[in-house]
Amino acid sequence: MKTDGANTHTRRALSELRKRILSGELPGGTRLLEVHLAEQLEVSRTPVREAMSRLAEEGLLERVSSGGFAVRSFTAADVIDAIELRGILEGTAARLAAERGVPPERMDAFFDIVARLDSCFPGAAGEDLDFERYSELNAEFHDALARLPGSRMICEEVGRATSLPFASPSAFLPDRAAPDAFHHSLQLAQEQHRRVAEAIHAREGARAEALMREHARLARQNLDYILSQDRSLRHQVPALSFLVG
Amino acid sequence: MKTDGANTHTRRALSELRKRILSGELPGGTRLLEVHLAEQLEVSRTPVREAMSRLAEEGLLERVSSGGFAVRSFTAADVIDAIELRGILEGTAARLAAERGVPPERMDAFFDIVARLDSCFPGAAGEDLDFERYSELNAEFHDALARLPGSRMICEEVGRATSLPFASPSAFLPDRAAPDAFHHSLQLAQEQHRRVAEAIHAREGARAEALMREHARLARQNLDYILSQDRSLRHQVPALSFLVG
DNA sequence: CCCTAGAAAAATGTATTCATCGCGGTGAGG
DNA sequence: CCTCACCGCGATGAATACATTTTTCTAGGG
């Protein structure tokens, strides 16, 4: 059978399954049956198996003891702990970068990301805030931070901690529907970005670590807000739509 | 074809491959060829694939971009960072347990492990130190600590950080060949065990965290000692025999 | 009425075969 | 002599048939 375009059957199955899990179409706890999925996706069991195996690596599926896979289910407490863990690990990345030192070029590149983030905010002219660009640069900032210590183990560990959708640094950017809190929250976040970069540059490890831990708390704050609202709201947030409860 | 005994072919392939990787028989960077391994293990490619997939989850293999797997290679710096990460995460487990509180029964059980560790040391009667038992209880202590906060995410993250052989809490227990340093090192470790339990009980989160971070440094100290010795020594240490360099 | 043992159904585990992709060697042309 | 295209080999990707295990349903006995 021909593999359509650049994508193998495994890749198609992978993204299709991921989509169904994240959308909540496959709720937590659902046992995934190879035959059934193979029929639905119109491929054989082999690529389905391969895709499920990779989703288990991602943390979206769990292996069932008797064989096969089930959709992992996450509670609100799991989301909170995942955010806490991200703060811990990004804090560690920041501290190690400070303690071990960062080559000037890489430090410059890091400051540059902060500067570009600054430029997303409205200036005296009163333009709009460029939310799309902020979001992208925010992801870039967190990615660059993980690489700053120049350690493969750190980078991978931070990567894993941020791989689940609700643990991603961009998961709970503040809600644009509430302009005031929204703007304030983003400015606070950016202030923390700047201070972390400064702290790393000044080799202030403990400060850099504490700042990144607190930075993650912003995500938790936004999460708490969303959870306190009507349940319908949390189904509009992609990272939460597949939560149990 | 019949599956021999209680083990499936996948399981056999899994442990056989793991053995070959850890023993250094398959050095880091080696590309694993399905056909070749299937012949050697006298099974078909299917269970070999499955086994490789699981070893990738364990972190012993990495997926090659063009498809297939290669043995992951670790440098001394990777080992150091892995130990550091274990300290960070176990420290977090200790801090969270302290901050969130631990039910009395579980706290009692935790103290009991510490007490049993105490009983491994020679008393006034001057018996021998029970190294085997200490080693087992040490593993039990670290496992129990990871569960203390009652958080699945924390427990799993600590589990991953300790899953690589050289990151395990039992990886670099001091060398029995050097009795003095050996005994001193173990007593210091046990003192830290005791203090961590106390700190958690007293809800002293920061202290508990700092103690566990320092506790992991004992492993690094023993690692440094081993690495400073003749190269032949590090091939006697199972957790290091498959390192590059 | 419940519990258990056994058989049937359905799921995963495994082998085999074919298809497709990537890479390296080789030869012709510039 | 260098470059590029093509071919062939060897690898993984995928499909399918078969084996084994797990689960479930049912019938029988306590």
Side-chain angles (χ1 to χ4, degrees):
Chain A
M1 179 180 274
K2 192 162 173 301
T3 69
D4 50 9
N7 282 350
T8 64
H9 286 173
T10 297
R11 246 171 288 203
R12 273 203 326 109
L14 186 59
S15 45
E16 178 64 23
L17 281 179
R18 193 189 288 118
K19 197 196 80 183
R20 292 191 190 184
I21 294 167
L22 296 183
S23 76
E25 188 179 340
L26 293 170
T30 306
R31 180 92 181 263
L32 293 186
L33 302 184
E34 293 177 4
V35 208
H36 187 227
L37 289 171
E39 282 172 11
Q40 283 194 349
L41 303 176
E42 295 179 291
V43 294
S44 79
R45 280 172 54 207
T46 315
V48 172
R49 261 178 101 86
E50 175 69 16
M52 293 197 297
S53 182
R54 293 191 188 222
L55 286 171
E57 271 182 66
E58 276 184 37
L60 289 178
L61 297 183
E62 56 192 359
R63 289 180 193 271
V64 175
S65 60
S66 61
F69 299 82
V71 179
R72 211 167 145 194
S73 57
F74 298 96
T75 65
D78 289 336
V79 177
I80 288 175
D81 289 343
I83 293 173
E84 175 86 10
L85 277 171
R86 169 164 70 84
I88 299 294
L89 290 167
E90 289 188 332
T92 300
R95 173 174 65 84
L96 290 181
E99 288 173 359
R100 299 180 179 180
V102 178
E105 324 83 57
R106 307 196 55 202
M107 199 65 229
D108 286 347
F110 194 61
F111 274 121
D112 186 55
I113 299 178
V114 177
R116 279 184 286 154
L117 273 164
D118 270 328
S119 74
C120 295
F121 288 85
E127 321 87 50
D128 267 4
L129 184 143
D130 191 342
F131 187 72
E132 278 304 318
R133 187 147 167 272
Y134 179 90
S135 197
E136 280 171 27
L137 284 168
N138 182 59
E140 197 177 328
F141 175 91
H142 285 266
D143 187 64
L145 175 65
R147 298 175 196 280
L148 267 198
S151 158
R152 177 176 150 229
M153 303 297 279
I154 302 287
C155 188
E156 288 176 2
E157 197 67 18
V158 173
R160 246 207 305 274
T162 58
S163 70
L164 287 172
F166 49 75
S168 148
S170 321
F172 302 115
L173 287 179
D175 192 349
R176 310 175 76 174
D180 284 355
F182 167 68
H183 206 248
H184 176 260
S185 191
L186 279 194
Q187 277 185 328
L188 178 50
Q190 172 62 359
E191 183 69 24
Q192 288 170 331
H193 289 160
R194 197 174 350 204
R195 284 168 187 249
V196 163
E198 277 170 15
I200 293 174
H201 184 59
R203 313 290 292 260
E204 298 168 354
R207 180 176 167 228
E209 177 170 15
L211 278 166
M212 279 314 293
R213 285 196 184 185
E214 199 58 29
H215 187 60
R217 280 284 173 140
L218 269 184
R220 175 158 170 188
Q221 179 180 307
N222 294 324
L223 169 69
D224 286 341
Y225 171 74
I226 293 170
L227 291 181
S228 71
Q229 296 299 103
D230 193 287
R231 171 145 307 175
S232 67
L233 179 54
R234 55 192 266 190
H235 284 286
Q236 294 167 20
V237 182
L240 287 182
S241 56
F242 71 107
L243 241 63
V244 298
Chain B
M1 179 180 274
K2 194 165 170 298
T3 67
D4 50 10
N7 282 349
T8 64
H9 287 173
T10 297
R11 248 173 286 211
R12 274 203 325 109
L14 186 59
S15 44
E16 178 63 23
L17 281 180
R18 194 189 288 118
K19 197 196 80 183
R20 292 191 189 184
I21 294 168
L22 296 182
S23 75
E25 188 180 340
L26 292 170
T30 307
R31 179 89 182 263
L32 293 186
L33 302 184
E34 293 177 6
V35 208
H36 185 61
L37 289 171
E39 281 171 13
Q40 284 194 349
L41 303 175
E42 295 178 291
V43 294
S44 79
R45 279 172 53 207
T46 316
V48 172
R49 260 180 101 88
E50 176 69 16
M52 293 197 297
S53 179
R54 293 190 189 224
L55 286 170
E57 271 182 67
E58 276 184 38
L60 289 179
L61 297 183
E62 56 192 358
R63 290 182 191 271
V64 175
S65 60
S66 62
F69 299 83
V71 179
R72 210 168 146 194
S73 57
F74 297 96
T75 66
D78 289 336
V79 178
I80 287 174
D81 289 342
I83 294 172
E84 175 85 10
L85 276 171
R86 170 164 70 83
I88 299 294
L89 290 167
E90 288 189 332
T92 299
R95 173 173 66 84
L96 290 182
E99 288 174 358
R100 299 180 179 180
V102 179
E105 324 84 58
R106 307 196 55 201
M107 200 66 230
D108 286 348
F110 194 61
F111 274 120
D112 186 55
I113 298 177
V114 176
R116 278 184 285 154
L117 274 163
D118 271 328
S119 74
C120 295
F121 288 86
E127 322 87 48
D128 266 4
L129 183 142
D130 190 341
F131 186 73
E132 278 304 318
R133 187 147 167 271
Y134 180 90
S135 196
E136 280 171 29
L137 283 167
N138 181 58
E140 198 177 327
F141 175 90
H142 285 266
D143 186 65
L145 175 65
R147 296 175 197 281
L148 268 198
S151 158
R152 176 176 151 230
M153 302 298 280
I154 302 288
C155 188
E156 288 177 1
E157 198 67 17
V158 173
R160 246 207 307 272
T162 58
S163 70
L164 287 172
F166 48 75
S168 148
S170 320
F172 302 115
L173 287 179
D175 192 350
R176 311 175 75 174
D180 285 356
F182 167 68
H183 206 246
H184 176 259
S185 191
L186 279 193
Q187 277 186 328
L188 177 51
Q190 172 62 358
E191 183 69 24
Q192 288 170 332
H193 289 158
R194 198 176 307 121
R195 285 169 187 248
V196 164
E198 277 170 14
I200 293 174
H201 184 60
R203 313 290 291 262
E204 298 167 354
R207 180 176 167 228
E209 177 170 14
L211 279 166
M212 280 314 293
R213 284 196 185 186
E214 200 58 29
H215 186 61
R217 280 283 172 142
L218 269 184
R220 175 159 168 186
Q221 178 181 307
N222 293 323
L223 168 69
D224 285 341
Y225 171 75
I226 293 170
L227 291 181
S228 70
Q229 296 298 105
D230 193 288
R231 173 145 306 177
S232 67
L233 179 54
R234 57 193 266 190
H235 284 286
Q236 294 168 18
V237 181
L240 286 183
S241 56
F242 70 107
L243 239 63
V244 298

